[in-house]
Amino acid sequence: MLGRDFLAGSMFVGFGSGALWFARHLPIGTAMRMGPGYIPHALAYLLLVLGFVIAAIALIYPGERCERPKWKPLGSVTIAIVCFALLFEVAGMFPALVALVLIASWGGGEFNALEVTASIAVLTVLCVVVFKLGLGMNVSIVAGIG
């Protein structure tokens, strides 16, 4: 019963309902004079309709069943993102990126130290080029240093 399509449709309904809830105080306006809530409401209703259609079709024509969640990758990526957010301002971009890549890499099936080190180096260089040089953001690479 809980096939992939049914769960995807349910997720769309959930996101559409959440969007309507968060946009409930925004004035919608009209098509000629759109208010700040016009597009959020339109997209939320689109998600709701699409979600109900997908879920209904999945009930009529059941598809593939869902596999059990893989908790190790899901947990490690979530923990890596939280660690990045906590370390970024305190320790700087480089230590936060190192923690992000290391913790997220442990969630995979195989851990190759050379690949992880190369990923950290490439990601650090790209982030410095994009955020520090390209966008001119005031981001410290290591706390207390530039």
Side-chain angles (χ1 to χ4, degrees):
M1 169 106 185
L2 292 180
R4 289 181 179 188
D5 292 340
F6 180 78
L7 291 175
S10 300
M11 182 183 68
F12 283 4
V13 169
F15 284 146
S17 300
L20 281 178
W21 173 259
F22 286 115
R24 70 187 182 278
H25 297 298
L26 296 174
I28 297 173
T30 64
M32 291 297 289
R33 296 183 53 90
M34 294 181 196
Y38 190 86
I39 298 296
H41 277 87
L43 292 176
Y45 286 122
L46 184 67
L47 274 174
L48 282 170
V49 169
L50 187 63
F52 280 123
V53 168
I54 290 172
I57 291 172
L59 287 175
I60 297 168
Y61 303 107
E64 294 181 43
R65 297 194 46 84
C66 266
E67 59 189 44
R68 296 180 56 88
K70 295 181 173 114
W71 294 110
K72 184 181 175 189
L74 184 63
S76 67
V77 168
T78 303
I79 292 169
I81 292 170
V82 170
C83 288
F84 177 82
L86 294 174
L87 285 173
F88 188 78
E89 287 198 31
V90 177
M93 183 170 49
F94 179 68
L97 287 171
V98 169
L100 174 78
V101 174
L102 278 176
I103 296 170
S105 296
W106 283 323
E110 18 182 275
F111 183 88
N112 185 335
L114 182 62
E115 289 177 1
V116 171
T117 305
S119 296
I120 291 171
V122 169
L123 187 59
T124 302
V125 169
L126 285 175
C127 286
V128 168
V129 167
V130 169
F131 296 112
K132 194 88 167 148
L133 303 176
L135 297 174
M137 294 177 69
N138 187 18
V139 176
S140 71
I141 297 170
V142 177
I145 302 172

